[in-house]
Amino acid sequence: MFNKILIANRGEIALRVIRTCKEMGIKTVAVYSQADANAMHVRMADESVCIGPAESSNSYLSIPSIISACEISGSRAVHPGYGFLSENSKFSEILRDHNIKFIGPSPEHIRIMGDKINAKKKMEEFGVPCVPGSNGKLKGTKEARDLARKIGYPILLKAAAGGGGIGMKIVENEAYLENLFQQAKSEAIKSFNDDTIYLEKYLKKPRHIEVQIFGDGKGNAVHLGERDCSLQRRHQKVLEETPSPIISSKERKAIGEKCASAMKMMKYEGAGTVEFLYENGEFFFIEMNTRLQVEHPVTEAVFGIDLVREQIMVAAGLPMSFKQENLNLNGHAIECRINAEKLPQFTPSPGTIVQFHSPGGLGIRMDSAIYNGYRIPPYYDSLIGKLIVFANTRELAVKRLKRALDELIIDGIETTSDLFKSILKHEEFLNGDYNIHWLENWLNQEKK
Ligand code: ADP
């Protein structure tokens, strides 16, 4: 086992990893930018190393600075958290060259899944259902036109290197195709320096359902149910729950087994998420994330496991602590992402927290790195906390979440916590009757 782990991240996820390391008796090293000298992850770690100025390109994203921090602190393993360098195959490769263990999958697996066309091809090979579309890169508008006629409009143009919805264009009918194809290409080249575009059938009212998988890198892999992340704003997840209110245990088992079997064939190592759109009883693969997700705590709650601990175990060459047959889903969990944003426009709201009171009691988990007097720097993601509730049933989880949101106090800045209070009052949410457009449609109605 490692005696020390460096955490190449900040905020709540850095704290999350430190907590598990402490429980495992592993020393921790925090890295921080000059803007984060007073951050909680720095206070909680055994050691810390400043890795550069506030801008993440010169600190949390700087591979040389992080390698130096490993050398200075004598760390032989790195946990990347999520975001930043967590899905950077070059980073994991360079660490490997330096004989430092990247806690996560191999650079090859990160690379394959990082290119959405390759990822789809790979998944199709493994028998995982994908959204109907082009067999890879579109050569030009003629190919796009012929294919779109076959599949039927509306279709979606997507950038192979895409992320955050950039380079994505919905095409309602043929008259718009040529223009939107050129627009998608130019957006993609600007943002990703790669204008590879592919085409998919546009699903009108899908849900976003993702399957948590876990592998030991030696050909053993399991699935840990699904998370329903359909409540989104601008393709960003806002609230996640497990189990999904609309997935039956038979469906869960069938799609979970397909994903686990793909991971066994790949000899995938560590935590990963296979993302699907789900419509009319069918699953369609869209992408795979080769890392721990923001919303992993809901899965931990219903399976009673610590995913970070398992990540560290398999990275150290030890077996996972469970087999598929020992994994039992119990109860219901919901996560709310609390952002430092002002409603209704969701504009960033950095500043100083003058008062913070975390909700508590049975079935509550608050993952956050904020504290009284903490000044939220304006340079990073606006996520400042995740409120996770767990109860025996969905109905009880919703009641518990309402109670927890009432207890939560964050004064001094604006947060999105009131949004959840409103969502929890909505009949359609209470009935589990929502899709990926539901939240935006509802927010637009509220504005009127
Ligand atoms: P990104 O990596 O840019 O986030 P994804 O492929 O994960 O792109 O898609 C992001 C979101 O876009 C999905 O969660 C879904 O809301 C929507 N989306 C993606 N593909 C389709 C599709 N074929 N039909 C309808 N909506 C889609």
Side-chain angles (χ1 to χ4, degrees), residues 35-107:
D36 272 343
N38 294 320
M40 189 54 100
H41 75 283
V42 178
R43 293 196 196 179
M44 294 280 251
D46 295 299
E47 291 171 48
S48 59
V49 183
C50 180
I51 50 164
E55 301 79 52
S56 35
S57 55
N58 290 319
S59 51
Y60 297 106
L61 287 169
S62 163
I63 298 176
S65 307
I66 291 170
I67 303 279
S68 307
C70 289
E71 298 300 338
I72 294 166
S73 59
S75 308
R76 309 280 6 131
V78 170
H79 195 298
Y82 54 70
F84 293 128
L85 296 167
S86 61
E87 287 179 294
N88 185 316
S89 57
K90 222 165 123 200
F91 178 55
S92 74
E93 202 159 32
I94 293 171
L95 286 179
R96 187 161 74 182
D97 294 344
H98 282 75
N99 206 18
I100 300 167
K101 179 67 188 165
F102 175 81
I103 301 175
S106 68

Side-chain angles (χ1 to χ4, degrees), residues 305-409:
I305 54 149
D306 178 341
L307 282 168
V308 173
R309 182 188 169 88
E310 299 300 324
Q311 286 186 301
I312 296 171
M313 297 283 283
V314 299
L318 298 166
M320 303 183 273
S321 69
F322 41 69
K323 293 202 168 70
Q324 192 69 59
E325 57 268 29
N326 319 122
L327 289 166
N328 295 311
L329 193 163
N330 284 307
H332 196 97
I334 308 177
E335 174 185 274
C336 297
R337 297 191 187 201
I338 313 283
N339 288 350
E341 283 168 358
K342 185 170 159 54
L343 297 171
Q345 302 297 343
F346 297 85
T347 36
S349 169
T352 302
I353 311 261
V354 294
Q355 205 190 352
F356 170 51
H357 176 260
S358 167
L362 188 65
I364 305 286
R365 169 173 172 181
M366 181 82 192
D367 275 21
S368 175
I370 64 170
Y371 56 86
N372 285 331
Y374 174 59
R375 196 179 154 72
I376 299 169
Y379 309 101
Y380 312 108
D381 195 273
S382 60
L383 181 82
I384 54 160
K386 304 185 312 205
L387 172 57
I388 302 112
V389 298
F390 171 62
N392 286 337
T393 63
R394 185 172 191 264
E395 203 187 335
L396 288 172
V398 167
K399 285 186 180 156
R400 186 160 284 166
L401 182 54
K402 276 188 190 155
R403 188 271 285 170
L405 285 163
D406 284 340
E407 277 180 36
L408 174 67
I409 299 171

Side-chain angles (χ1 to χ4, degrees), residues 21-40:
C21 289
K22 285 197 174 185
E23 290 174 14
M24 294 176 81
I26 300 170
K27 291 254 177 297
T28 51
V29 180
V31 293
Y32 64 98
S33 72
Q34 281 162 2
D36 272 343
N38 294 320
M40 189 54 100

Side-chain angles (χ1 to χ4, degrees), residues 158-170:
K158 290 170 105 172
I166 298 166
M168 233 193 260
K169 299 282 168 207
I170 304 166

Side-chain angles (χ1 to χ4, degrees), residues 116 131 156 158 162-166 168 200-203 206 208 232 235 275 277 286-287 436:
K116 292 184 172 186
V131 190
L156 188 65
K158 290 170 105 172
I166 298 166
M168 233 193 260
E200 269 179 6
K201 182 171 182 56
Y202 180 71
L203 303 173
H208 175 115
Q232 300 184 355
H235 302 303
E275 297 194 334
L277 294 177
I286 46 170
E287 69 167 343
I436 59 167

Side-chain angles (χ1 to χ4, degrees), residues 149-179:
R149 277 187 193 164
K150 233 195 262 163
I151 292 176
Y153 286 90
I155 55 114
L156 188 65
L157 298 170
K158 290 170 105 172
I166 298 166
M168 233 193 260
K169 299 282 168 207
I170 304 166
V171 188
E172 296 289 349
N173 63 54
E174 199 169 293
Y176 301 106
L177 184 66
E178 181 145 12
N179 250 336

